[in-house]
Amino acid sequence: MVSKVILLIVFFAIMVLVGIYSRKHATNVNDFVLGGRSVGPWLTAFAYGTSYFSAVVFVGYAGQFGYKYGMASTWIGIGNALIGSLLAWVILGRRTRIMSNHLSSATMPDFFGKRYDSKALRVAASAIAFIFLIPYTASVYNGLSRLFGMAFDIPYAVCVIVMAVLTGVYVILGGYMATAINDFIQGIIMLGGIIAVIGAVLNGQGGFIHAVQKLAELESDVPLTMGQKGAFTSFVGPDPLNLLGVVILTSLGTWGLPQMIHKFYAIKDEKSIQSGTIISTFFAIVVSGGCYFLGGFGRLFDSEAIHTPKGIAFDAIIPSMLATLPDILVGVVIVLVLSASMSTLSSLVLTSSSTLTLDFLKDNIIKNMNDKKQLLCMRILLVFFIVLSVIIALDPPTFIAQLMGISWGALAGAFLAPFLYGLYWKGVTKAAVWASFVSGVGITVSNMFIGFIKSPINAGAIAMIAGLIVVPIVSLISPKMKKEQVEDIFECLEETAMVEMKTALPSEKTSKKTK
């Protein structure tokens, strides 16, 4: 117990000190929200990765999907690395940085407002972001509290409140830069921690080979593969179609989440994007791949603790696995998950408060907001958002994975398509963006009440795919934006930039001139 408490005290002290140190980087709106658009590759890559993976993944998703799909759940982690990190950086990173800077947009709703010349779109996007980031935040609290309860026997409410207060302190003090520096520290803890935990858990089962053998002996209880042995160690698992839905939601979903895309707004330069792509992908392979790989052995820890009158308590699976570890390793796990959760939470509250201030209140509700007033408003809204999410977290409505599925489904379903197409295609129309907002939120919310799609995870995946189909169709049949406006927006991509030959090969024409 002493070792666990010492680890926590040191961890909390570092987080607060970083917030105090970063105050000098948060003197105006641009610095507070974007770190002055001068954040390097390591900080940006770790900020992206730690915002991506939280207690929701480690406790909720790894436990639930590892139990359902066995070792095949590792595919979710691989999808997160290749689609959610590598492709996201390659396809979105550079263009997001260039166009957001050209349009002077600091948030995703602001991008929609300026890219499509519509204040109404900006306000609507701001409202969607604020509303649907809340359940995601509640799911982060929920996952962390279960581990704290296991390790310290501390009441759930105390865990939630302490975490909220500490996160609020360093974000309010230092803004984005404090978040990025702390994310880097937290990311290093996550990398080392997940490797140590996997090794310890498998060692407790007699090693990797022996653990796989025991898992292979279990009979499947999934309808498609009922009674089949070896399903939980197979290449695609006992239920490949539903597994695919999880891969799509958790991987492609990041492309439409405001708190994830925000990282590309702040990155420093071309070299940082190239390096950040590699670092972020490596981070995702280790952390996400490791979490789902660990969760795949969840059935070996089946006990009364994870069974309730309502069915399997999926959120209790990972804590049950970790309960057998030595105290020092439990302390490492607590700091690991605390790192993942606080980094995600800080990103969520910063995104929500900045979006509500810059895109909803500024010029709409409150006129003539100077930098000082905007900063004050954002800090007040940070507190408001944290308090609101704590209230919801104290009485969470469903499993962690379902909370996250609802949030990601609505946000990515609404935002992914118009943001992605808006970076590359000049023909996207305002009506198409509205259609994507309606379909993304509509599918997710209606499914909450009617339940026509059994899994909220699959509903979220369908909402994203629907947006990718709806936007081009509506764009082809609805009134186009003024050609001059669109050309002005895209002109930033046509500007010539001089680079060293080691970065880009010269054209044949240029080579002949040089000779």
Side-chain angles (χ1 to χ4, degrees):
M1 182 61 72
V2 172
S3 61
K4 289 184 283 191
V5 171
I6 291 173
L7 281 172
L8 283 179
I9 291 172
V10 171
F11 176 79
F12 290 146
I14 291 172
M15 298 302 103
V16 174
L17 287 173
V18 167
I20 295 170
Y21 165 77
S22 302
R23 288 184 67 182
K24 63 183 179 182
H25 296 288
T27 56
N28 57 60
V29 171
N30 187 53
D31 290 346
F32 189 83
V33 178
L34 296 173
R37 293 187 193 265
S38 61
V39 184
W42 285 91
L43 292 185
T44 302
F46 272 67
Y48 186 91
T50 54
S51 297
Y52 195 166
F53 310 116
S54 67
V56 176
V57 170
F58 189 77
V59 179
Y61 272 29
Q64 176 166 338
F65 300 124
Y67 190 89
K68 284 184 175 180
Y69 308 126
M71 291 184 65
S73 63
T74 308
W75 282 111
I76 306 171
I78 295 171
N80 292 172
L82 298 182
I83 301 172
S85 292
L86 177 62
L87 281 182
W89 277 74
V90 170
I91 294 173
L92 302 178
R94 179 183 292 104
R95 285 193 176 234
T96 299
R97 174 64 173 82
I98 294 170
M99 199 173 286
S100 65
N101 186 53
H102 177 67
L103 296 173
S104 298
S105 62
T107 65
M108 185 180 273
D110 192 30
F111 173 87
F112 288 132
K114 291 175 178 175
R115 166 66 180 84
Y116 300 108
D117 189 31
S118 172
K119 185 182 287 188
L121 278 175
R122 188 181 73 174
V123 173
S126 174
I128 292 170
F130 183 74
I131 292 168
F132 288 98
L133 283 175
I134 293 172
Y136 187 16
T137 308
S139 67
V140 173
Y141 287 120
N142 195 358
L144 182 69
S145 66
R146 288 186 176 274
L147 284 181
F148 262 77
M150 177 268 291
F152 298 101
D153 196 25
I154 297 174
Y156 174 62
V158 175
C159 297
V160 169
I161 293 168
V162 169
M163 178 183 167
V165 170
L166 288 167
T167 306
V169 167
Y170 77 75
V171 178
I172 289 168
L173 286 173
Y176 183 76
M177 190 56 74
T179 300
I181 295 172
N182 273 330
D183 286 349
F184 180 72
I185 297 169
Q186 292 158 351
I188 292 172
I189 295 170
M190 290 167 67
L191 285 172
I194 192 65
I195 293 170
V197 170
I198 291 172
V201 169
L202 292 182
N203 185 58
Q205 291 293 316
F208 172 67
I209 300 299
H210 193 251
V212 172
Q213 288 174 344
K214 290 201 289 185
L215 195 63
E217 293 170 1
L218 301 178
E219 293 183 357
S220 172
D221 53 3
V222 179
L224 290 172
T225 53
M226 184 70 75
Q228 178 182 329
K229 286 189 175 182
F232 297 113
T233 55
S234 68
F235 185 71
V236 293
D239 192 359
L241 285 179
N242 278 316
L243 176 60
L244 179 62
V246 180
V247 173
I248 292 172
L249 177 76
T250 61
S251 302
L252 193 60
T254 59
W255 295 30
L257 297 179
Q259 74 274 16
M260 302 297 295
I261 298 300
H262 177 253
K263 306 300 183 289
F264 299 137
Y265 283 53
I267 199 163
K268 187 177 181 180
D269 51 28
E270 172 68 22
K271 187 177 179 181
S272 296
I273 291 176
Q274 294 172 356
S275 303
T277 303
I278 299 168
I279 298 165
S280 179
T281 304
F282 172 77
F283 185 90
I285 289 172
V286 175
V287 175
S288 185
C291 285
Y292 288 110
F293 175 75
L294 178 65
F297 294 93
R299 284 181 180 259
L300 300 183
F301 297 84
D302 203 338
S303 65
E304 291 183 7
I306 69 169
H307 292 273
T308 69
K310 295 182 180 179
I312 303 294
F314 294 114
D315 303 342
I317 293 172
I318 296 296
S320 294
M321 294 173 70
L322 302 176
T324 58
L325 298 179
D327 271 358
I328 187 65
L329 266 180
V330 172
V332 169
V333 171
I334 294 298
V335 175
L336 182 162
V337 181
L338 188 64
S339 297
S341 300
M342 289 182 72
S343 58
T344 302
L345 181 60
S346 63
S347 179
L348 291 171
V349 296
L350 182 60
T351 300
S352 185
S353 65
S354 59
T355 293
L356 204 61
T357 300
L358 301 177
D359 305 318
F360 190 80
L361 297 178
K362 183 185 175 184
D363 299 331
N364 296 312
I365 308 297
I366 304 173
K367 305 293 183 182
N368 303 319
M369 287 184 76
N370 58 28
D371 248 27
K372 191 174 181 181
K373 288 181 180 178
Q374 290 174 50
L375 278 173
L376 177 62
C377 188
M378 274 188 274
R379 285 177 165 131
I380 292 171
L381 285 174
L382 273 167
V383 176
F384 170 74
F385 185 79
I386 288 173
V387 171
L388 184 60
S389 58
V390 164
I391 292 170
I392 294 175
L394 290 176
D395 187 22
T398 185
F399 289 131
I400 294 174
Q402 277 62 40
L403 277 173
M404 183 175 167
I406 292 166
S407 175
W408 279 41
L411 290 168
F415 296 157
L416 190 157
F419 186 80
L420 174 62
Y421 287 126
L423 291 174
Y424 283 88
W425 184 28
K426 297 177 182 180
V428 185
T429 65
K430 295 178 188 178
V433 182
W434 281 114
S436 182
F437 286 5
V438 171
S439 68
V441 174
I443 290 172
T444 306
V445 173
S446 60
N447 190 63
M448 287 170 57
F449 296 102
I450 302 172
F452 54 90
I453 303 170
K454 187 176 180 181
S455 167
I457 309 298
N458 289 339
I462 290 169
M464 283 185 276
I465 294 170
L468 292 171
I469 297 170
V470 164
V471 168
I473 291 175
V474 175
S475 292
L476 292 173
I477 61 175
S478 57
K480 304 293 184 288
M481 292 180 63
K482 291 180 181 179
K483 187 177 180 180
E484 298 78 15
Q485 269 185 324
V486 177
E487 292 298 332
D488 181 62
I489 291 168
F490 277 81
E491 72 174 3
C492 60
L493 300 173
E494 307 300 328
E495 293 177 12
T496 302
M498 301 296 290
V499 298
E500 295 174 339
M501 206 171 289
K502 65 183 179 183
T503 302
L505 292 172
S507 66
E508 187 178 343
K509 189 175 180 181
T510 306
S511 298
K512 287 178 179 177
K513 282 183 179 180
T514 305
K515 290 178 182 177

